[in-house]
Amino acid sequence: MKKRVVAILCAGALLAGLAGCGGSSSEGETAKGGDSEEMTISIMWQQEVSEQFWDLPLEKFQEAHPDVKVEFESNAKASEVIRNLLNVQEAPDIFYSWISDVDYYGFAEEGLLYPVDDILEEQNAEGTKTLGETIFSAGLEMGKIGDSHYFLPTSKLIAGNFYSGKLFQEKGWEVPKTWEEYLALCGQIKDGGVTPMIYAGVYPFMLADAFLVPMMYNLDPQSLEAINQNEPGAWKQPAVLEVIQRLEEMRDAGYIDKNSLAMDHIQSQIDFIGNKDAFVPSGSWLEGEMEGQWPQDFQLSPMYAPGEDSEKTSSTAVVECMVLPKQEDDKKLEYIKELVQLFYSEENAQYVAENTGFMLALEEQSDEVMSALPESAQAMWEMADDNVTILSATYKVRYKEVLEELNNCINALIQEEINAEEFCERMDQTAQEIESGE
């Protein structure tokens, strides 16, 4: 765990008996109109690359408010400690961990989080539009409970399937656009001595995001909404059953690498890089995540899930979010709002892209930001035009038990322990147990 103080009280405020840095109370007033009494804002962040998302905002904030202290804690166990901190009312003012590891929805429903709707009404740092219009809409939608928003998305990522452009060129394989084309290509790939697909068996939801859920939506756009709302029978819908039958068909034809079951994302991606497998489901982060592993002429290339026709398809937005624990200090809240404005500035979007290879969660991105992304990520977003629908799979974070069972069912299907009908039956049973409170 690392903690750093990025803004400290000026020396005069530390001397006993003396007033604030500026001397008189009028001189010590901040840009917010308050006095210079000590104020500390705390941020707890999951220890990983997106810590750098805060570098520039904190620097800008420190310049504007040298009398406000901001404690930034990088914590590898953030997801494990936040519940206790919330319970004892010692939570940080801003918190982030992997959305799959914490129950943000449960926190919100318990009244432990601050609804950010008033923050979304604030102008962005450039003064050109509101923050609600500035921030990635699919990410905001993920954090909507009733009429209120509780999540602020941090990164804008998208799921997809990847292949080696060089391998495809050498083998004469054409990139498929429809399911029929995809299935036919898998036969060619297998005949060429390569396994068509490998996935991360430790994280099967990556296969769902990039491949299964988009195909469900392509067959029936209402199918995902029913799953997101946990409606009775949602996992037994014809579109859902057909997609799971497609996965079963791939399994039976030997198109899925059985080594997947024991592999995490890194291990499966290493086999993919070695051309043992032709496709791997991942996302716009893949090139950066495996930096240093790519052969110089690999030509990492993305494609979205096969569509029902050659013109249209869809893909799942992969969104990480920060939240604000319940806040009752109005003065501190004004500073937090300013930090949020700085976080979602165009200048920070450029900094994040250049220094991390990630895309900040803005609805629109400048050409400068796009050009700073890894080439495969640029290609993915260029492909995400009007013919690609970006999906918000809120069930993953709203219903943790459903996500866990989905992971179990995908692997059980690949292990030939269940068939497609049993897959859907198990998923529906888990979903309805949640509704009944069992």
Side-chain angles (χ1 to χ4, degrees):
M1 179 170 58
K2 297 182 292 184
K3 180 179 288 188
R4 58 189 171 100
V5 177
V6 298
I8 59 173
L9 295 173
C10 51
L14 300 178
L15 298 178
L18 295 182
C21 305
S24 69
S25 60
S26 61
E27 293 172 333
E29 288 180 351
T30 70
K32 296 293 181 183
D35 57 34
S36 60
E37 66 184 36
E38 181 173 343
M39 171 78 68
T40 299
I41 297 172
S42 58
I43 302 173
M44 180 181 289
W45 213 252
Q46 184 70 43
Q47 190 171 343
E48 45 108 22
V49 67
S50 70
E51 297 160 293
Q52 296 177 50
F53 284 29
W54 277 107
D55 288 352
L56 189 61
L58 293 181
E59 179 183 330
K60 296 287 185 181
F61 186 83
Q62 178 179 359
E63 291 173 357
H65 305 289
D67 56 342
V68 177
K69 182 167 63 174
V70 180
E71 293 183 348
F72 187 98
E73 180 179 342
S74 175
N75 193 325
K77 297 184 177 181
S79 62
E80 300 175 22
V81 301
I82 186 59
R83 161 59 79 176
N84 288 338
L85 293 174
L86 286 166
N87 287 344
V88 299
Q89 298 183 348
E90 293 181 1
D93 298 304
I94 300 174
F95 174 80
Y96 160 79
S97 183
W98 295 303
I99 199 167
S100 59
D101 289 353
V102 288
D103 186 10
Y104 280 161
Y105 278 95
F107 294 165
E109 290 170 346
E110 292 177 47
L112 298 174
L113 300 183
Y114 181 82
V116 298
D117 300 275
D118 61 329
I119 295 178
L120 298 179
E121 294 174 0
E122 296 284 332
Q123 289 289 296
N124 61 14
E126 293 76 27
T128 56
K129 59 182 75 172
T130 66
L131 284 169
E133 296 168 326
T134 301
I135 300 171
F136 186 35
S137 57
L140 290 175
E141 185 65 24
M142 184 170 287
K144 189 174 183 181
I145 302 176
D147 295 327
S148 298
H149 295 84
Y150 288 89
F151 305 173
L152 291 170
T154 56
S155 55
K156 183 177 181 179
L157 305 166
I158 190 169
N161 303 277
F162 292 82
Y163 63 94
S164 165
K166 179 187 177 185
L167 181 63
F168 267 54
Q169 186 175 17
E170 290 176 349
K171 298 289 188 179
W173 298 333
E174 293 187 10
V175 180
K177 292 185 177 180
T178 67
W179 168 248
E180 289 75 16
E181 292 173 355
Y182 183 88
L183 197 62
L185 175 62
C186 284
Q188 296 176 39
I189 292 172
K190 185 181 179 185
D191 290 343
V194 179
T195 305
M197 177 190 281
I198 192 167
Y199 74 97
V202 176
Y203 306 112
F205 63 83
M206 295 175 67
L207 174 62
D209 284 348
F211 196 69
L212 303 180
V213 170
M215 286 199 294
M216 293 174 192
Y217 180 90
N218 294 343
L219 282 165
D220 178 7
Q222 299 304 313
S223 62
L224 179 58
E225 181 63 21
I227 289 173
N228 283 340
Q229 297 300 322
N230 210 41
E231 294 178 5
W235 288 95
K236 294 182 178 181
Q237 295 173 96
V240 177
L241 176 59
E242 180 169 341
V243 169
I244 303 307
Q245 287 172 335
R246 291 177 178 181
L247 186 65
E248 185 177 25
E249 184 177 3
M250 290 182 65
R251 176 201 72 187
D252 293 343
Y255 294 164
I256 300 175
D257 193 328
K258 289 295 182 68
N259 292 321
S260 299
L261 293 163
M263 291 186 170
D264 63 17
H265 57 304
I266 300 298
Q267 293 167 319
S268 62
Q269 288 160 189
I270 287 175
D271 274 16
F272 164 70
I273 291 172
N275 288 330
K276 295 180 181 179
D277 306 273
F279 290 110
V280 67
S282 185
S284 53
W285 58 88
L286 174 60
E287 185 173 343
E289 183 173 65
M290 302 301 290
E291 185 176 8
Q293 299 287 332
W294 302 107
Q296 189 171 2
D297 56 353
F298 188 85
Q299 298 176 29
L300 179 66
S301 304
M303 63 166 277
Y304 291 121
E308 295 311 300
D309 60 57
S310 61
E311 299 300 323
K312 293 186 177 182
T313 186
S314 60
S315 193
T316 307
V318 179
V319 182
E320 294 296 337
C321 300
M322 59 183 172
V323 295
L324 309 183
K326 188 175 181 180
Q327 183 60 249
E328 297 180 350
D329 187 330
D330 291 339
K331 183 178 177 183
K332 180 181 287 190
L333 185 59
E334 290 302 308
Y335 288 122
I336 292 173
K337 288 180 180 179
E338 186 172 343
L339 280 167
V340 172
Q341 288 172 319
L342 292 169
F343 185 89
Y344 292 107
S345 69
E346 293 179 5
E347 187 178 4
N348 194 39
Q350 181 72 28
Y351 177 90
V352 167
E354 291 176 350
N355 289 276
T356 71
F358 281 80
M359 186 183 288
L360 193 66
L362 303 185
E363 185 71 4
E364 299 176 352
Q365 305 287 342
S366 68
D367 292 341
E368 291 77 15
V369 167
M370 293 298 294
S371 64
L373 300 176
E375 289 185 7
S376 60
Q378 291 182 46
M380 290 194 76
W381 288 108
E382 288 169 1
M383 291 162 54
D385 56 16
D386 293 340
N387 291 321
V388 178
T389 302
I390 307 302
L391 309 175
S392 181
T394 60
Y395 76 92
K396 295 192 304 176
V397 290
R398 189 182 293 267
Y399 306 109
K400 298 294 185 182
E401 298 90 342
V402 168
L403 177 61
E404 181 178 354
E405 184 64 359
L406 177 61
N407 288 332
N408 293 336
C409 284
I410 289 173
N411 283 346
L413 184 85
I414 301 305
Q415 287 177 305
E416 301 184 43
E417 295 175 354
I418 59 175
N419 59 31
E421 289 77 11
E422 292 168 330
F423 181 113
C424 293
E425 182 64 38
R426 278 178 54 172
M427 290 303 304
D428 187 68
Q429 181 178 349
T430 299
Q432 295 319 303
E433 286 174 355
I434 294 173
E435 290 301 305
S436 64
E438 295 182 18

